[in-house]
């Protein structure tokens, strides 16, 4: 009997202890996106020339290929996040992305790039095993985004 109670309590503690909650009041210095991006949680397709109008903006850019070799579509992960927090992402085909200055840094797609004032704050590297969990798990992606941006506008 004691053994069963112990196993149940241990299981409960493991579940609760492993729960990674998003806390935006933890003292991390995050950035606010431009208010226009706190909207419906949509993907907004753009071309490379459209980024010229965004040089003083703060936004999330998703560059993608026409195929995905991952077990879970990373686009589904990113869309789930966008919908949950009502944050619009700018989206651009990787072929079009190659015509931007950001391609000097981000050489592989798919990628999510956080941009402030025409500079990359951080990005997911599709060629890095270290970032793979962020492409495949919504909670890991949320935690990564939580390091950089506020999920609600000022």
């Amino acid at each position: 009997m004691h053994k069963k109670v112990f196993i149940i309590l241990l299981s409960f503690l493991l579940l609760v202890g492993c729960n990674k909650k998003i806390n935006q009041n933890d003292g991390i210095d995050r950035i606010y996106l431009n208010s226009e991006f706190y909207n419906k949680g949509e993907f907004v397709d753009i071309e490379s020339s459209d980024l010229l109008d965004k040089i003083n903006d703060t936004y999330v850019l998703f560059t993608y290929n026409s195929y995905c070799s991952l077990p879970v579509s990373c686009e589904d992960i990113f869309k789930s996040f966008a919908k949950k927090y009502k944050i619009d992402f700018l989206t651009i085909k990787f072929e079009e992305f190659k015509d931007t200055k950001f391609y000097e840094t981000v050489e592989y797609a798919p990628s999510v790039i956080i941009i402030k004032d025409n500079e990359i704050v951080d990005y997911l590297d599709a060629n890095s095993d270290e970032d793979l969990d962020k492409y495949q798990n919504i909670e890991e992606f949320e935690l990564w985004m939580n390091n950089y941006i506020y999920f609600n506008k000022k």
Side-chain angles (χ1 to χ4, degrees):
M1 179 69 167
H2 293 291
K3 193 175 194 177
K4 285 182 183 179
V5 172
F6 176 75
I7 290 173
I8 291 170
L9 280 174
L10 182 61
S11 298
F12 177 75
L13 288 174
L14 286 174
L15 285 173
V16 172
C18 294
N19 188 5
K20 300 174 183 176
K21 292 192 177 202
I22 299 299
N23 179 3
Q24 295 252 289
N25 296 316
D26 55 6
I28 292 176
D29 189 23
R30 295 176 181 83
I31 56 177
Y32 283 99
L33 304 176
N34 284 50
S35 61
E36 69 192 78
F37 297 109
Y38 294 103
N39 195 16
K40 296 180 183 177
E42 297 178 339
F43 279 16
V44 180
D45 287 323
I46 62 167
E47 296 181 1
S48 59
S49 60
D50 297 327
L51 291 177
L52 298 174
D53 297 332
K54 304 282 182 209
I55 58 174
N56 294 317
D57 291 352
T58 303
Y59 56 93
V60 178
L61 179 65
F62 170 47
T63 182
Y64 59 92
N65 294 314
S66 56
Y67 60 88
C68 179
S69 62
L70 297 170
V72 176
S73 168
C74 59
E75 184 172 337
D76 292 344
I77 299 290
F78 305 151
K79 278 185 179 178
S80 293
F81 171 85
K83 288 273 184 224
K84 180 177 181 178
Y85 293 103
K86 296 181 178 10
I87 295 174
D88 292 349
F89 284 29
L90 297 180
T91 61
I92 188 170
K93 293 179 185 173
F94 191 63
E95 287 303 314
E96 187 73 21
F97 177 77
K98 288 180 179 180
D99 294 332
T100 71
K101 78 173 214 155
F102 304 121
Y103 180 63
E104 296 170 10
T105 304
V106 182
E107 299 175 339
Y108 302 101
S111 184
V112 170
I113 309 159
I114 301 167
I115 298 172
K116 179 180 180 182
D117 297 330
N118 212 29
E119 297 296 325
I120 294 174
V121 174
D122 200 13
Y123 67 96
L124 294 180
D125 186 349
N127 202 36
S128 168
D129 289 341
E130 195 172 299
D131 284 344
L132 181 61
D133 58 338
K134 297 167 192 84
Y135 285 94
Q136 294 292 278
N137 182 301
I138 182 72
E139 289 85 13
E140 292 298 324
F141 182 70
E142 286 177 350
L143 288 170
W144 178 74
M145 291 290 282
N146 186 47
N147 287 318
Y148 300 100
I149 68 168
Y150 285 105
F151 295 165
N152 297 304
K153 66 182 173 182
K154 291 185 208 182

